[in-house]
Amino acid sequence: MTERGIPMEAEVVARVDESPTIFSLSLKLVDGDQHDSYRFMPGQFNMLYLYGVGEIPISIVGDPDQPDLLQHTFRTVGRVTRGFARLQPGDRIGLRGPFGRGWPLEAARNRDVLIVTGGLGCAPVVPVINHVLNQRQQHGRVAILQGVKHSDDFIWRGRYEQWDAEPDTQVLLAADVAGPEWRGYRGRVTGLFEKLELDFVNGITMMCGPGPMMTAAGQQLLERGAGPDRIWFSLERNMQCAVGQCGHCQYGEKFVCRDGPVFPYADIQHLFGVRGI
Amino acid sequence: MERPGFLPRQRLDDLLVLLRDSGYRVIGPQLAEGAVVYRDIGAASDLPAGVTVESGPGSMRVIKQDSPRQFAWANGPQALKPRLFKPAESLWQVQRDAQGRLSFARCDETPQAVAVIGVRACDLAALRIHDQHFLESEYRDPYYARRRERLLLVAVNCTDPATTCFCASTGDGPAASGDYDLLLDELEDGFLVTSGSPEGQKLSAALALTPAPDARCEVARAAVERAAAVQTRRLPPGDLFDRLFAHRDHPRWSEVANRCLACGNCTQVCPTCFCSRERDETPLDGASSVHQREWDSCFTEGHSYIHGLVIRAETRQRYRQWLTHKLGSWHRQFGRSGCVGCGRCILWCPVGIDITEEVHVLMQEPVHD
Ligand SMILES: Cc1cc2nc3c(=O)[nH]c(=O)nc-3n(C[C@H](O)[C@H](O)[C@H](O)COP(=O)(O)OP(=O)(O)OC[C@H]3O[C@@H](n4cnc5c(N)ncnc54)[C@H](O)[C@@H]3O)c2cc1C
Ligand code: SF4
Ligand code: FES
């Protein structure tokens, strides 16, 4: 049992603008001991605190094998994220974490890995993609499916191209609405399942993104024979405390901050897809 | 079991003085603003003598009788919860220097030791649940912990339950059990005193009580037994999640939502509800900010808000969350129901929604699903 903590001071060391509304900050814990002992697992998140404004849950992107690079990607949507959008290198923020349980890396070993994301939903899976591709020999085939509402929302083109160039790695993109330049698929990300060249029935699927997308995609994978312990989701809920106390992130009997945010379908099937839970 | 001691009513002040001399701030029930509320107690004469409470769904009436009894009512709107889990408190503060560097510090002043008199069986059951939630889960809450460590409990067995009480059906009362230091049984002319902890034993010894004769013990036992027998409301036992959830589209959820004001009174008075929200309060000096926590309720819009979406947008979904959490998910989170049968949510609901009645209707076969 740990005591609920207070934020640690972190410094913004780099900033990258990914799109007009999406930006990434690289952070470094200021205290040397805190910096040295910080470790995270792909799929975990931090509570990031902006002075005088508030604290929000943000997934840790970056590579767990390089915990030095504590990266977070933000989409500017409201009060707190707008404040973060103004930060520049040298600025200080607060950080509590890491929290939650991440992706099933052990279960994915020596198996095919399917990653399905929608919107900025891709942030929580970036570290798992890095991890799997860093340890390429220990995994089977890999497919990365990314869906966006509009082709203009697509970020990290370079990253996807890089992943696509890896051996035995398939990258498939879908846009519900696409401009003339779009070379990917037009339609829902679930429309890409036809084109998969891997074994998701015996492999592991990791998914994150908007609820309806995950419900539809999860349902289709089940119908196509994937078992309920093979499909994993990262869920999003309002979070105030991240330590299982404030009650905001409840999803049935789960506290998403503590028991998740990553869950196998088997653990949440009694709740999955039900509105207003 | 040790034989209880007998404390004549006129010596109740001895107990209060003893507690104060032992360093405790003494809190107890008083009649104020038309209800029994827990406040600082100066003397035994502050206690609500001759008061009984007549309650029903959404209604309550205090009746004064010519009786010396000071605990002949069931419970007030709040008891222990706000003592330990504060309605609002500061968690940490942060200073910002001229270079923009931040330093964080926990707000942790040491609270004074508190003795609460008149704690009921339902409150003790709820306390056990909050101990589990705030002290025994993955993260321990230091704010709750420091107050809990300095809390002394003088419980009272219930003899006069309200019509809204159903602790007998949840197994939590009317006889107090659990973490009390002293337990009182109120008789016409005084109290049986039983100690439940080493601290309680010390206090009881200091009072130098004479052992209570069998006849008095028998009167007290019979009174508590009767307090169980007169309760008419009840809840079905066990984890109701699957049964309620199987009826998740039952028309009753919409029907209750038409009456429910989504005011959250039920979650405020509920001794087991633990939800809170956090926010920053920035003094005008611009160099510091305080991070606060305050009670929240699953009946508010903000509770399930994530950007661009309120997950439980409709009142029927919020009422369903509250009921399925209390009587379902709670079992899976804490190994027991989240309802201790105190009936406060029934009494303090402005439109008189009755949890026992709603459950009863919802558990019947759905009209259609
Ligand atoms: C586990 C987890 C990981 C996340 N990872 C990322 C990420 O990597 N990048 C990213 O851009 N966003 C992420 N989010 C969403 C992000 O937390 C919200 O976009 C953010 O809280 C919105 O804050 P705001 O004040 O700008 O928005 P407003 O709409 O003004 O929201 C007001 C408040 O509501 C709460 N809130 C609103 N939306 C959410 C939400 N989606 N989740 C939780 N609380 C919310 C917050 O307390 C917020 O301050 C994640 C959420 C969760 C639960
Ligand atoms: S979710 Fe609702 S019912 Fe459950 S503890 Fe919070 S306020 Fe109470
Ligand atoms: S975020 Fe507070 S309980 Fe999960």
Side-chain angles (χ1 to χ4, degrees):
Chain A
M1 200 181 4
T2 347
E3 186 137 292
R4 179 193 168 147
I6 63 172
M8 304 179 275
E9 189 189 22
E11 182 181 345
V12 177
V13 289
R15 176 196 167 108
V16 177
D17 288 288
E18 317 278 3
S19 87
T21 56
I22 298 174
F23 60 98
S24 299
L25 301 177
S26 302
L27 304 174
K28 184 173 184 249
L29 290 170
V30 174
D31 180 275
D33 291 343
Q34 289 174 350
H35 172 264
D36 293 343
S37 58
Y38 188 93
R39 291 282 176 283
F40 73 93
M41 296 296 287
Q44 287 190 304
F45 66 96
N46 283 322
M47 290 299 281
L48 298 184
Y49 168 76
L50 185 62
Y51 173 80
V53 182
E55 218 186 9
I56 53 171
I58 298 288
S59 309
I60 310 167
V61 276
D63 187 340
D65 305 321
Q66 287 175 284
D68 252 12
L69 288 173
L70 205 43
Q71 288 181 14
H72 298 81
T73 296
F74 301 71
R75 191 156 67 100
T76 311
V77 295
R79 206 173 65 87
V80 182
T81 45
R82 263 201 299 279
F84 273 105
R86 285 198 286 268
L87 295 182
Q88 293 300 332
D91 287 338
R92 305 290 173 99
I93 65 166
L95 183 155
R96 286 194 292 137
F99 293 114
R101 312 210 191 292
W103 298 106
L105 298 184
E106 275 311 309
R109 207 173 278 272
N110 299 320
R111 292 183 195 276
D112 286 2
V113 177
L114 168 60
I115 293 185
V116 185
T117 68
L120 183 68
C122 57
V125 293
V126 170
V128 89
I129 297 175
N130 288 333
H131 176 82
V132 167
L133 296 182
N134 279 347
Q135 308 192 357
R136 197 67 200 81
Q137 275 70 45
Q138 295 178 30
H139 297 88
R141 286 163 295 180
V142 175
I144 301 165
L145 270 50
Q146 156 81 3
V148 286
K149 268 211 200 80
H150 193 281
S151 54
D152 292 350
D153 301 339
F154 183 57
I155 62 163
W156 291 335
R157 190 172 298 275
R159 246 187 236 190
Y160 282 91
E161 281 167 5
Q162 222 179 320
W163 290 332
D164 200 22
E166 296 276 341
D168 280 333
T169 305
Q170 214 183 352
V171 172
L172 297 168
L173 308 174
D176 289 354
V177 183
E181 254 97 272
W182 185 248
R183 290 212 305 272
Y185 175 80
R186 284 163 199 261
R188 296 279 153 88
V189 72
T190 42
L192 294 170
F193 288 164
E194 295 294 339
K195 308 186 183 191
L196 283 175
E197 291 159 8
L198 52 60
D199 175 14
F200 55 76
V201 172
N202 295 300
I204 291 282
T205 298
M206 306 187 203
M207 217 186 284
C208 56
M213 177 288 255
M214 291 203 288
T215 311
Q219 215 54 54
Q220 285 210 20
L221 290 172
L222 287 166
E223 281 161 20
R224 289 161 185 259
D229 54 339
R230 304 243 170 240
I231 311 173
W232 294 68
F233 304 94
S234 180
L235 302 186
E236 215 173 290
R237 275 294 184 274
N238 186 300
M239 290 186 183
Q240 302 286 303
C241 71
V243 293
Q245 282 175 357
C246 76
H248 277 256
C249 68
Q250 286 180 90
Y251 180 57
E253 73 274 20
K254 311 287 185 206
F255 290 94
V256 173
C257 67
R258 182 186 76 192
D259 307 326
V262 173
F263 294 96
Y265 177 78
D267 283 4
I268 53 174
Q269 54 188 340
H270 58 300
L271 307 163
F272 200 67
V274 179
R275 288 185 50 223
I277 297 297
Chain B
M1 215 179 105
E2 127 197 359
R3 175 179 283 276
F6 181 70
L7 180 72
R9 189 175 296 281
Q10 60 277 16
R11 283 197 62 206
L12 188 53
D13 271 321
D14 293 355
L15 173 60
L16 302 189
V17 169
L18 182 60
L19 289 170
R20 211 163 291 121
D21 289 350
S22 313
Y24 292 100
R25 176 179 159 197
V26 181
I27 305 285
Q30 288 177 42
L31 196 58
E33 294 140 27
V36 177
V37 297
Y38 283 74
R39 297 217 171 135
D40 286 280
I41 293 281
S45 57
D46 290 343
L47 295 168
V51 165
T52 58
V53 175
E54 239 182 45
S55 71
S59 76
M60 187 205 68
R61 208 156 60 95
V62 169
I63 300 169
K64 292 278 279 176
Q65 286 174 335
D66 188 23
S67 156
R69 289 185 180 241
Q70 288 153 311
F71 297 95
W73 42 276
N75 56 38
Q78 301 282 0
L80 287 179
K81 178 166 100 166
R83 294 271 144 226
L84 294 167
F85 171 40
K86 291 269 175 203
E89 77 175 305
S90 304
L91 300 185
W92 36 267
Q93 53 176 318
V94 48
Q95 302 284 335
R96 183 167 66 170
D97 73 8
Q99 283 75 47
R101 288 181 301 222
L102 305 178
S103 50
F104 295 89
R106 193 190 289 291
C107 303
D108 59 355
E109 73 282 2
T110 307
Q112 196 192 339
V114 168
V116 183
I117 295 193
V119 178
R120 306 299 185 153
C122 53
D123 298 321
L124 289 174
L127 173 71
R128 178 86 275 282
I129 291 173
H130 272 196
D131 282 355
Q132 260 179 291
H133 183 63
F134 289 108
L135 304 178
E136 296 159 24
S137 43
E138 195 167 325
Y139 288 89
R140 174 184 158 92
D141 188 76
Y143 310 93
Y144 180 97
R146 69 193 181 194
R147 291 186 286 263
R148 182 68 178 92
E149 284 154 9
R150 294 175 182 80
L151 182 70
L152 184 121
L153 299 167
V154 181
V156 181
N157 278 332
C158 278
T159 51
D160 293 76
T163 62
T164 41
C165 292
F166 53 99
C167 60
S169 93
T170 65
D172 296 303
S177 63
D179 289 337
Y180 58 76
D181 295 282
L182 286 177
L183 171 64
L184 308 181
D185 278 283
E186 185 174 38
L187 304 173
E188 203 64 13
D189 56 348
F191 302 90
L192 305 188
V193 181
T194 312
S195 52
S197 72
E199 182 70 15
Q201 259 155 22
K202 256 194 278 171
L203 293 166
S204 167
L207 286 169
L209 305 174
T210 50
D214 281 344
R216 284 189 195 275
C217 296
E218 184 47 39
V219 172
R221 204 188 51 75
V224 177
E225 224 161 67
R226 197 175 43 88
V230 297
Q231 295 184 14
T232 53
R233 287 184 161 79
R234 55 184 307 279
L235 274 184
D239 175 353
L240 304 185
F241 191 90
D242 287 339
R243 289 169 71 190
L244 289 171
F245 213 64
H247 300 176
R248 63 178 176 263
D249 296 318
H250 195 294
R252 185 69 175 193
W253 298 113
S254 302
E255 195 279 326
V256 67
N258 285 337
R259 286 176 283 139
C260 174
L261 309 177
C263 66
N265 269 15
C266 51
T267 60
Q268 301 283 300
V269 296
C270 177
T272 69
C273 270
F274 51 69
C275 282
S276 64
R277 60 175 166 253
E278 296 181 19
R279 66 185 176 84
D280 259 52
E281 203 152 88
T282 310
L284 292 174
D285 66 2
S288 68
S289 188
V290 181
H291 194 72
Q292 307 261 10
R293 157 170 89 185
E294 55 202 27
W295 287 0
D296 200 0
S297 161
C298 56
F299 281 94
T300 67
E301 188 148 280
H303 192 277
S304 66
Y305 171 81
I306 61 174
H307 180 73
L309 175 73
V310 176
I311 290 174
R312 292 185 282 271
E314 301 165 25
T315 302
R316 57 182 278 275
Q317 296 165 334
R318 297 186 201 166
Y319 191 82
R320 190 175 66 186
Q321 164 63 21
W322 131 265
L323 200 68
T324 53
H325 186 208
K326 284 282 150 215
L327 305 181
S329 332
W330 213 286
H331 285 270
R332 301 165 189 199
Q333 293 171 344
F334 300 100
R336 62 151 293 162
S337 159
C339 179
V340 294
C342 71
R344 288 182 172 99
C345 58
I346 306 174
L347 202 163
W348 297 98
C349 174
V351 295
I353 294 170
D354 178 344
I355 183 174
T356 60
E357 183 191 336
E358 296 310 318
V359 170
H360 180 74
V361 174
L362 283 160
M363 301 278 281
Q364 289 167 348
E365 284 313 300
V367 182
H368 58 82
D369 226 332

